[in-house]
Amino acid sequence: MLSMAIPAFAQAPTVDTGDTAWVLVSAALVLMMTPALAFFYGGLVRKKNMLSVLMQCFFLMCLITLQWVVFGYSLSFGPDIKGWIGSLAWAGMHGVGLEPYADYSATVPHQAFMIYQCMFAVITPGLILGAFAERMKFSSFVVFSFLWAAIVYDPVCHWVWAVGGFLRKSGALDFAGGTVVHINAGVAALASALVLGRRKGFPARISPPHNLPFAVLGAGLLWVGWFGFNGGSALGANGLAANAFVTTHVAAAAAGLTWAMLDWKFNAHPTMLGKITGAVGGLVAITPAAGFVSVIDAIWIGIGVSVICYFAVAFLKPKFGYDDSLDAFGVHGIGGMWGAIATGLWAQKAINPAGADGFFYGNPALLFIQIKAVVVTIVYSFVVSFILLKIVDMVLGLRVSERDERIGLDLTQHRESAYTMID
Amino acid sequence: MKYIVAIIQPDKLDEVLQELEQSEIHLVTVSPVMGRGRQRGISEVYRSHKEAGSLLKKTKLEIAVNDTFVKAAVDAIIKGAKTGEIGDGKIFVLDLEQCVRIRTGEQSTAAIG
């Protein structure tokens, strides 16, 4: 979002049809990522919890969209209040019309920018549910997600992307949401895994994924959707979009390959789940960097993320014993941190004049700015998510009963079964 | 009357059915099952989390026959299912007390064939 086409400021903002078409298509691609995530996560849980994951993702598409248009967009991108939060001046889409708003997207209708951003707001709380899958009460999930969007996502989004946001003013770079989306959600995921506790039977007797092909389908659709996520963040059909598109693809490929190699080395076999975990990790890591780094440096980012996340998932998680069911923290949190730091290492003004040079291009300062933004986001997201979860736990109770967990969330929370035995 | 239950390798099903056909045994119920024998399955790995010896996919055949067909049926299953490798499966032969064809109400040996 720090990638706005600078020359456009020179003239009165007018809608460019090509740019608008690309941003609208990108918005649709990003929306697709939420049901894709549902299948990615859904395939990894047990049969009895499949619908609960699909339902949580789909519910967020509706809930957060309304939250966003009623007040979330205004809190995130509305007129700045001291660098911390947007005012409610744009609540209910007041003044968010069909003309471009030059500060964010000089050639695209303001509403197109708003709905594109909406899709990011929708998927971010969706990422968190990977950590508390198979054991959270649906009602508590709804309340937590709504409050989290307003109290955690909207402010962090403002800090990093909005005009006047304090991290943006400090020079922190986040092209498409490494900090706002992935670190933010990943750290909240860790908090939720700690507050909720482990699933019954973890780690000794948790069944393997009930439908890996679904997970592969979901990961494949995530990869496709990510072109809208990162490519669309150029906010125009231009060279920068092409750079983001290519680096996204290359980083995912490098990361997928690296994870398979690590699997082969440490487990004697390359696994399908490892392959898609690596690819998603690559997509996460390139997100903040996509519009600032070269294609070749994207390969290093992809290789790096698989090495780091593999370590986190295979060694760190078992060592500490927290039950991040589907590795939301291990892949999105850790991968996002690596991506934000890697942006500080490999960003180049030669790729994007609106960005900055990184450590390897003569400017070590950017690395420290990136680390600062990462630390601020980690602390804020963890502390506020933790408190929020504790409050919801006190008022509603976060966790389903032991009996409900044993029967499964599909039947106990939704009175439906994903798969019937007979017809 | 005997009731034959056979657990075989899934990929040997077609050959077993063929052998049974050649022995004039057409009626059979087949179901996919999970199980393990002395080899204790193959371990699985999910994001480096190792699952020890999971159950293996097997195929179960159930065949009701008149006494004169028992040997032919057992021989056919062995012929079709044998690879000589561990995990080829087992055949159980049980006494069968009664058999009723639902459509006609026929009983015992008349109902089996």
Side-chain angles (χ1 to χ4, degrees):
Chain A
M1 313 300 146
L2 284 171
S3 56
M4 276 87 46
I6 294 297
F9 285 101
Q11 57 214 10
T14 49
V15 169
D16 179 285
T17 53
D19 288 351
T20 304
W22 173 234
V23 169
L24 288 174
V25 168
S26 290
L29 285 170
V30 180
L31 174 69
M32 184 184 73
M33 292 170 73
T34 298
L37 181 79
F39 274 90
F40 179 55
Y41 279 170
L44 298 180
V45 296
R46 287 168 285 184
K47 259 184 210 163
K48 60 187 177 185
N49 297 314
M50 173 60 166
L51 285 180
S52 78
V53 171
L54 297 182
M55 179 63 171
Q56 287 176 351
C57 285
F58 226 87
F59 201 87
L60 289 175
M61 285 163 64
C62 305
L63 178 73
I64 304 298
T65 295
L66 293 181
Q67 183 265 355
W68 189 250
V69 299
V70 173
F71 66 90
Y73 179 65
S74 194
L75 285 181
S76 301
F77 288 95
D80 176 65
I81 301 173
K82 298 186 187 310
W84 291 100
I85 191 83
S87 79
L88 287 171
W90 294 353
M93 296 297 95
H94 182 72
V96 180
L98 305 182
E99 295 303 315
Y101 183 77
D103 281 353
Y104 292 132
S105 54
T107 59
V108 172
H110 195 178
Q111 270 192 17
F113 175 77
M114 180 281 296
I115 201 68
Y116 178 62
Q117 284 299 330
C118 174
M119 306 316 181
F120 286 71
V122 165
I123 195 170
T124 307
L127 298 171
I128 306 173
L129 67 91
F132 56 69
E134 304 201 298
R135 60 198 184 283
M136 196 178 198
K137 269 167 69 174
F138 186 71
S139 55
S140 305
F141 155 81
V142 172
V143 173
F144 168 71
S145 298
F146 180 80
L147 294 174
W148 190 87
I151 301 172
V152 182
Y153 183 84
D154 293 346
V156 172
C157 177
H158 185 82
W159 303 345
V160 177
W161 282 338
V163 171
F166 82 91
L167 290 175
R168 173 171 168 160
K169 275 202 294 197
S170 77
L173 299 181
D174 183 4
F175 190 74
T179 304
V180 176
V181 175
H182 296 289
I183 298 177
N184 203 2
V187 170
L190 179 63
S192 64
L194 293 175
V195 175
L196 267 109
R198 307 165 177 189
R199 287 167 291 173
K200 290 286 158 220
F202 179 88
R205 289 176 50 81
I206 291 291
S207 307
H210 92 279
N211 194 329
L212 265 182
F214 272 161
V216 176
L217 175 70
L221 292 175
L222 278 173
W223 191 328
V224 174
W226 229 291
F227 291 125
F229 204 88
N230 291 0
S233 289
L235 296 170
N238 51 34
L240 193 58
N243 189 83
F245 196 113
V246 175
T247 53
T248 297
H249 187 58
V250 167
L257 208 56
T258 304
W259 197 295
M261 295 299 169
L262 291 169
D263 246 356
W264 219 329
K265 168 88 181 132
F266 291 112
N267 296 315
H269 299 281
T271 63
M272 190 67 242
L273 179 54
K275 186 83 193 153
I276 57 176
T277 306
V280 170
L283 292 161
V284 168
I286 196 63
T287 294
F292 300 116
V293 301
S294 74
V295 174
I296 294 301
D297 292 341
I299 297 176
W300 294 116
I301 293 175
I303 293 172
V305 75
S306 275
V307 172
I308 293 167
C309 290
Y310 189 94
F311 176 79
V313 167
F315 302 109
L316 220 58
K317 184 167 90 160
K319 187 171 161 50
F320 288 102
Y322 57 88
D323 184 12
D324 175 3
S325 318
L326 312 176
D327 296 309
F329 172 69
V331 175
H332 293 276
I334 301 280
M337 291 173 207
W338 162 244
I341 289 165
T343 307
L345 295 175
W346 282 294
Q348 291 182 60
K349 274 185 154 176
I351 303 287
N352 185 347
D357 283 325
F359 186 86
F360 292 128
Y361 294 92
N363 176 27
L366 180 64
L367 183 60
F368 293 105
I369 294 168
Q370 292 299 100
I371 291 172
K372 187 185 108 181
V374 169
V375 171
V376 166
T377 308
I378 291 171
V379 171
Y380 184 78
S381 180
F382 187 84
V383 171
V384 179
S385 303
F386 194 90
I387 293 170
L388 199 52
L389 287 156
K390 284 286 186 192
I391 292 171
V392 176
D393 194 21
M394 273 191 290
V395 179
L396 288 171
L398 278 177
R399 206 168 160 150
V400 296
S401 69
E402 202 175 321
R403 177 181 173 272
D404 286 2
E405 188 176 335
R406 197 174 60 243
I407 294 171
L409 304 194
D410 289 3
L411 262 178
T412 60
Q413 305 296 298
H414 308 290
R415 288 289 184 271
E416 289 175 300
S417 310
Y419 313 98
T420 53
M421 285 294 287
I422 299 165
D423 274 341
Chain B
M1 296 183 297
K2 297 288 182 193
Y3 196 66
I4 299 172
V5 177
I7 309 291
I8 63 167
Q9 300 274 30
D11 65 342
K12 299 301 276 181
L13 177 63
D14 283 346
E15 285 166 68
V16 170
L17 291 179
Q18 241 170 31
E19 294 296 334
L20 287 168
E21 288 263 336
Q22 279 177 12
S23 306
E24 304 277 298
I25 299 162
H26 306 290
L27 291 140
V28 57
T29 303
V30 178
S31 37
V33 292
M34 307 277 286
R36 68 178 175 200
R38 278 179 298 175
Q39 83 280 19
R40 293 192 212 153
I42 297 172
S43 71
E44 294 171 29
V45 181
Y46 297 97
R47 282 183 183 149
S48 290
H49 178 79
K50 286 191 180 62
E51 305 269 331
S54 64
L55 299 174
L56 290 174
K57 291 187 175 65
K58 297 283 177 185
T59 297
K60 181 166 83 168
L61 283 78
E62 289 160 277
I63 308 167
V65 288
N66 286 315
D67 290 338
T68 49
F69 279 90
V70 173
K71 189 176 179 325
V74 169
D75 288 348
I77 294 168
I78 292 172
K79 202 170 168 199
K82 185 170 177 174
T83 68
E85 300 287 324
I86 198 158
D88 274 353
K90 283 210 174 75
I91 302 168
F92 308 101
V93 181
L94 289 74
D95 285 329
L96 179 57
E97 209 167 281
Q98 183 56 286
C99 172
V100 181
R101 178 173 277 130
I102 294 172
R103 175 170 55 88
T104 58
E106 288 167 282
Q107 296 202 357
S108 298
T109 56
I112 281 186

